Amino acid sequence: FTYTINDIERSFSGDYTWTASNGVEYDITGTFTIDVQYPPNVTLSLDQDSSDGIEEGDLVVLTCDVDSNPTPSSVTLTGPGDDDYDLTLTSGVYSYTIDNVSSSDSGTYTCTASNGVGDDDTDTLNIDVQYQPSVTQSPDSLTVTEDDTVTLTWIVDSNPESTFDITDLISSSLSLTSDGYIQTFTYTINDIERSFSGDYTWTASNGVEYDITGTFTIDVQYPPNVTLSLDQDSSDGIEEGDLVVLTCDVDSNPTPSSVTLTGPGDDDYDLTLTSGVYSYTIDNVSSSDSGTYTCTASN
């Protein structure tokens, strides 16, 4: 008796029993085993905490399922930078666990198995670890002169890309360049005005964990603008014996380093500073006080 199986498949593996009988005494039986060997078939899969994507800090398990006969003599897992990882074998399944995944774990992973039958088999899987923005600001604060051109730059490293906003500034004026996960936001102010002086807050967000915020200060400096005015007792003109106050109001940034008042005969007068206003009081004005008075400020 001859039994031929063409193109035998792995499903034929197993134990078989044959029986021979001719009616004399009892039947004769025997057994045989067919062991169909085949090369590995590798499936690399990913188990993760969330179905929304992998974020930094998640628990991630790479599972390398190998179907082969005989059992594989070698199963390896390589990852970013061609690093090798130690696999754990549990109930015939090979796995590698990343307890606290980070952006450095992003990349392509390859599981390779061999069992001496046919060719090795591999399967690959890409891990894309999402992480919240990391922001580098330049400069941290600005001291500039009115009418200057000012440029602020923020370099944002994040996955996925971030949106970026600055309070009290027109976000549409931001320019953006991107290189991979790196975004560079640039804000330029031409002919800056003193009204731009103040504290500002920026926000970078990409939906991973919480938003990242920071602050910066713009200090627009400008030369002094002097207003010299006169306070007197009467609106009918100044008469001898009146009380007269000369007020020198100085608008400047920074505050003036020098404020002087000169009068008739180029005499200098000691000014009093009260609540940011400089003044000189003549308690009992006389004809000798007549003349031109000049207030000068520098900063």
Side-chain angles (χ1 to χ4, degrees):
F1 296 90
T2 301
Y3 191 89
T4 300
I5 306 171
N6 295 313
D7 302 322
I8 194 168
E9 298 176 358
R10 63 192 67 180
S11 60
F12 278 91
S13 288
D15 297 323
Y16 295 85
T17 301
W18 53 261
T19 303
S21 62
N22 67 350
V24 178
E25 295 190 24
Y26 49 85
D27 295 347
I28 302 299
T29 63
T31 62
F32 65 95
T33 299
I34 296 178
D35 181 22
V36 181
Q37 297 187 340
Y38 50 90
N41 180 33
V42 177
T43 302
L44 182 59
S45 59
L46 178 68
D47 293 325
Q48 62 194 69
D49 283 344
S50 169
S51 60
D52 299 329
I54 302 172
E55 296 184 1
E56 279 196 321
D58 282 355
L59 172 71
V60 171
V61 180
L62 288 158
T63 300
C64 190
D65 189 10
V66 183
D67 177 21
S68 76
N69 185 26
T71 56
S73 54
S74 171
V75 180
T76 59
L77 179 68
T78 57
D82 291 329
D83 290 340
D84 292 325
Y85 300 91
D86 294 329
L87 291 165
T88 300
L89 178 60
T90 305
S91 301
V93 176
Y94 298 85
S95 64
Y96 176 71
T97 300
I98 306 174
D99 293 311
N100 190 13
V101 72
S102 70
S103 58
S104 62
D105 295 312
S106 291
T108 301
Y109 291 78
T110 301
C111 182
T112 304
S114 61
N115 69 346
V117 178
D119 296 327
D120 297 350
D121 191 40
T122 64
D123 194 19
T124 60
L125 179 70
N126 188 66
I127 291 182
D128 183 27
V129 180
Q130 298 182 345
Y131 52 95
Q132 65 183 152
S134 171
V135 182
T136 302
Q137 174 183 297
S138 177
D140 291 331
S141 62
L142 276 175
T143 300
V144 296
T145 302
E146 196 169 37
D147 295 328
D148 280 354
T149 295
V150 172
T151 300
L152 293 137
T153 302
W154 295 266
I155 299 174
V156 182
D157 180 7
S158 67
N159 182 29
E161 289 188 340
S162 294
T163 59
F164 193 83
D165 181 67
I166 308 170
T167 56
D168 300 323
L169 290 178
I170 302 172
S171 294
S172 61
S173 298
L174 279 167
S175 64
L176 169 63
T177 58
S178 297
D179 182 11
Y181 294 134
I182 306 297
Q183 298 169 277
T184 301
F185 294 90
T186 303
Y187 195 94
T188 300
I189 307 170
N190 295 311
D191 302 323
I192 194 167
E193 300 175 0
R194 63 191 67 179
S195 60
F196 277 92
S197 286
D199 297 321
Y200 297 86
T201 300
W202 53 259
T203 303
S205 60
N206 69 343
V208 179
E209 296 191 36
Y210 49 86
D211 294 348
I212 302 297
T213 62
T215 61
F216 65 96
T217 300
I218 297 178
D219 181 23
V220 182
Q221 298 189 339
Y222 50 91
N225 180 32
V226 177
T227 303
L228 182 59
S229 59
L230 178 67
D231 293 328
Q232 62 194 66
D233 283 344
S234 170
S235 61
D236 296 331
I238 303 172
E239 297 180 358
E240 280 196 322
D242 283 352
L243 173 71
V244 172
V245 181
L246 289 158
T247 300
C248 188
D249 188 11
V250 182
D251 177 21
S252 76
N253 184 28
T255 55
S257 55
S258 171
V259 180
T260 59
L261 179 68
T262 58
D266 292 329
D267 289 341
D268 292 326
Y269 300 90
D270 292 331
L271 290 165
T272 301
L273 177 60
T274 305
S275 301
V277 176
Y278 298 85
S279 63
Y280 177 70
T281 301
I282 307 173
D283 292 312
N284 189 9
V285 72
S286 69
S287 59
S288 63
D289 296 311
S290 294
T292 300
Y293 290 78
T294 302
C295 182
T296 304
S298 62
N299 69 347

